Each structure stands twice: as structure tokens, then as C-alpha cells.
């Protein structure tokens, strides 16, 4: 893309500038799913047959939705899986674009026992190691952390100078109460995201227990890190209520024009 720009206060002079085309790097995306007992909290929807539908069930379904959509955008994206107990551990180490392997990995994620504290240091260490291999293939690495603990802020020990990957976070939590502190947890997650992210990382939270809110957040995370605006400027998804009100107003104005012309 080329253009001409005038400079100086004298006669216009033409200077040519060129916007070079760039290609977005394919992504290696590492999902890290919280496997603390709080992942078994029930959502406000039941599965088929009336079976309770937990946060973990919803997270697995949201991941499969995300992967299918991401591969439709670019079949070269790849995915791996880790679980977060007291620290992170691999579920599937090899990055893959095969949807059957993704589904199988999701099924293998299970809650084992109460985890207590959550240390993200090992997750960041693994991500940094994988990011170096990813960069050698002209790709970029992203970590998507799905966190469910309402009273345990995550901790980490990581140098602020090492920003080799991008961190996104989806935080599902209980409403504030005497036994939990979701705001404190959220603040700790924001700090971790800003501390490690190479590109703009996004964080979303929900204490409503609604699967549609989780799916909406995951759809927003389909955005490529190299194309993102800062989260404060994010204005998607659009409110259908506002859109409907705007349409009604436009229709009213249109009718007013018609009436006044008669």
C-alpha cells in the first residue's frame, strides 16, 4: 500500500511511503486447565438426562469449540494441554492440529484431589521452553489458562524481562463471600498476565455460572495476539439490545422523513 504525503510550509512536495505486507505467525496454543476441586462446581445448566454440568465440563466443551473455530481460520494452528494442580503438569505435550487428539486430551483432564495453593512458575517455565522451539519454526506461543479457584490467588516467580509468550486467562469463580476473595484472585491473575505476556493478553471473568458467558469469552480469545487492540478498547461482542435500539431509532427517523415530505 502506497500513499503521498506533503511536508513543509512551502509548495507541496511528494514523499512516498510504503506499508509492507506482513504475515501473521501460526500459533501453538497451550491450554492449562485448573483441576482443583472448585472445577467441579455446578454450572446453572444441566447436561442431558439431568446430570449436573460442572465448570470442568463447560471448559472442555468450550475448548473443543475454540479449537474447531481456530482450525477453520487457519488449519496450521496447533494445540497442547496441561493441568494445574499445585503446579502445572503435562496432559498432552505434543502440539497437534488433529481434532480427535484434542478431544481425547480433553477427556483425559480430571480432578484428582484438593490442590490448595497454585504456583504458575512451572507453567511459565514450560511455556518459555516451548516458545523458544516455536520461534525457531517462525510460530508464536500462547498460553490459555482456565482458572476456577475463588479463594486462592495464584503465585509465581518469574523475571519480568522474559516475555516469550502471550498469556490469556478465563477465570470462573464464586460470588464474593466470607470464605473467598475472587477480586484478590483476579488481581493476581492480571498481574501475572501483564508480567509475562509478549503481545496483548486478555483476561475475562465470570461468577454467573452460565455456559454461554464462558463460550462468549472463548470466542473473543480466537483473536490473534498479533492483531489485537488493548483490552480496554475491546468492544466485542456487540450488545444485541443496543443494536436493536439503534435500528428502531433509525427506523423512526426514516418514518419521520417520510411523513414530513408528504
Amino acid at each position: 500500500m502506497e500513499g503521498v504525503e506533503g511536508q513543509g510550509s512551502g509548495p507541496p512536495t511528494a514523499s512516498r511511503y510504503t506499508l509492507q505486507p506482513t504475515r501473521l505467525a501460526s500459533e501453538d496454543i497451550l491450554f492449562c486447565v485448573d483441576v482443583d476441586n472448585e472445577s467441579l462446581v455446578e454450572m446453572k445448566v444441566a447436561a442431558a438426562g439431568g446430570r449436573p454440568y460442572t465448570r470442568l465440563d463447560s471448559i472442555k466443551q468450550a475448548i473443543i469449540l475454540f479449537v474447531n473455530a481456530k482450525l477453520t481460520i487457519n488449519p496450521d494452528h496447533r494445540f497442547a494441554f496441561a493441568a494445574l494442580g499445585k503446579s502445572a503438569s503435562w496432559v498432552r505435550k505434543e502440539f497437534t492440529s488433529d481434532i480427535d487428539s484434542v478431544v481425547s486430551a480433553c477427556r483425559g483432564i480430571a480432578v484428582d484431589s484438593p490442590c490448595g495453593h497454585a504456583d504458575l512458575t512451572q507453567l511459565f517455565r514450560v511455556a518459555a521452553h516451548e516458545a523458544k522451539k516455536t520461534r525457531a519454526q517462525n510460530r508464536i506461543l500462547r498460553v490459555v489458562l482456565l482458572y476456577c479457584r475463588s479463594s486462592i490467588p495464584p503465585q509465581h516467580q518469574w523475571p519480568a524481562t522474559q516475555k516469550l509468550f502471550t498469556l490469556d486467562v478465563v477465570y470462573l469463580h464464586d460470588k464474593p463471600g466470607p470464605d473467598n476473595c475472587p477480586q484478590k484472585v483476579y488481581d493476581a491473575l492480571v498481574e501475572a498476565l501483564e508480567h509475562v505476556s509478549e503481545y496483548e493478553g486478555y483476561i475475562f471473568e465470570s461468577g454467573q455460572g452460565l455456559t454461554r458467558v464462558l463460550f462468549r469469552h472463548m470466542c473473543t480469545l480466537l483473536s490473534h495476539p498479533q492483531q489485537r487492540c488493548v483490552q480496554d478498547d475491546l468492544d466485542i461482542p456487540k450488545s444485541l439490545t443496543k443494536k436493536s435500539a439503534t435500528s428502531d431509532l433509525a427506523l423512526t427517523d426514516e418514518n419521520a422523513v417520510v411523513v414530513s415530505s408528504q
Side-chain angles (χ1 to χ4, degrees):
M1 182 182 294
E2 296 184 345
V4 175
E5 182 179 355
Q7 296 179 342
S9 58
T13 58
S15 62
R16 189 173 298 278
Y17 63 87
T18 303
L19 180 63
Q20 297 295 336
T22 58
R23 183 179 180 86
L24 297 178
S26 296
E27 289 191 83
D28 285 344
I29 299 176
L30 171 58
F31 292 103
C32 185
V33 180
D34 193 350
V35 293
D36 182 76
N37 272 5
E38 291 191 61
S39 299
L40 297 179
V41 171
E42 295 179 13
M43 303 289 282
K44 292 181 181 178
V45 63
R51 180 179 63 85
Y53 203 67
T54 67
R55 287 174 180 166
L56 185 58
D57 293 327
S58 298
I59 286 170
K60 291 179 179 181
Q61 188 174 351
I63 289 174
I64 293 172
L65 169 70
F66 177 98
V67 170
N68 273 293
K70 197 71 175 172
L71 290 175
T72 300
I73 297 169
N74 179 359
D76 194 41
H77 294 312
R78 303 185 304 197
F79 310 90
F81 293 85
L84 181 66
K86 292 182 178 179
S87 64
S89 58
W90 283 110
V91 173
R92 180 188 171 87
K93 187 174 181 179
E94 298 79 15
F95 285 88
T96 180
S97 299
D98 179 61
I99 189 63
D100 291 334
S101 298
V102 168
V103 172
S104 176
C106 283
R107 288 175 178 168
I109 300 173
V111 173
D112 188 15
S113 60
C115 300
H117 75 279
D119 190 342
L120 301 179
T121 305
Q122 178 62 17
L123 174 62
F124 295 163
R125 187 177 294 123
V126 165
H129 176 73
E130 295 298 325
K132 292 174 182 177
K133 295 192 293 184
T134 293
R135 285 186 175 192
Q137 302 171 42
N138 295 318
R139 306 170 67 90
I140 63 171
L141 183 81
R142 177 161 40 133
V143 176
V144 178
L145 172 63
L146 299 115
Y147 195 77
C148 298
R149 306 180 205 187
S150 300
S151 57
I152 304 173
Q155 302 173 347
H156 68 85
Q157 295 180 358
W158 193 253
T161 54
Q162 285 196 44
K163 296 192 175 186
L164 302 173
F165 57 91
T166 301
L167 175 64
D168 288 334
V169 180
V170 177
Y171 178 36
L172 304 181
H173 58 84
D174 297 334
K175 294 189 179 300
D179 300 324
N180 59 48
C181 51
Q183 183 62 55
K184 186 177 180 181
V185 176
Y186 179 82
D187 292 343
L189 290 167
V190 171
E191 186 277 330
L193 182 153
E194 294 176 345
H195 191 82
V196 302
S197 287
E198 177 183 15
Y199 297 104
E200 179 72 13
Y202 287 166
I203 178 168
F204 300 107
E205 58 79 28
S206 175
Q208 299 172 307
L210 299 174
T211 53
R212 69 172 181 270
V213 175
L214 170 60
F215 293 168
R216 185 173 71 231
H217 293 333
M218 291 297 287
C219 286
T220 306
L221 293 183
L222 288 170
S223 59
H224 195 288
Q226 292 177 318
Q227 280 187 308
R228 291 179 174 179
C229 63
V230 296
Q231 186 165 351
D232 288 344
D233 294 338
L234 197 63
D235 64 347
I236 54 173
K238 300 289 188 182
S239 170
L240 293 178
T241 304
K242 291 181 180 178
K243 185 175 181 180
S244 176
T246 303
S247 299
D248 292 344
L249 181 60
L251 184 60
T252 302
D253 292 343
E254 230 177 66
N255 290 338
V257 171
V258 172
V259 170
S260 63
S261 65
Q262 289 177 344

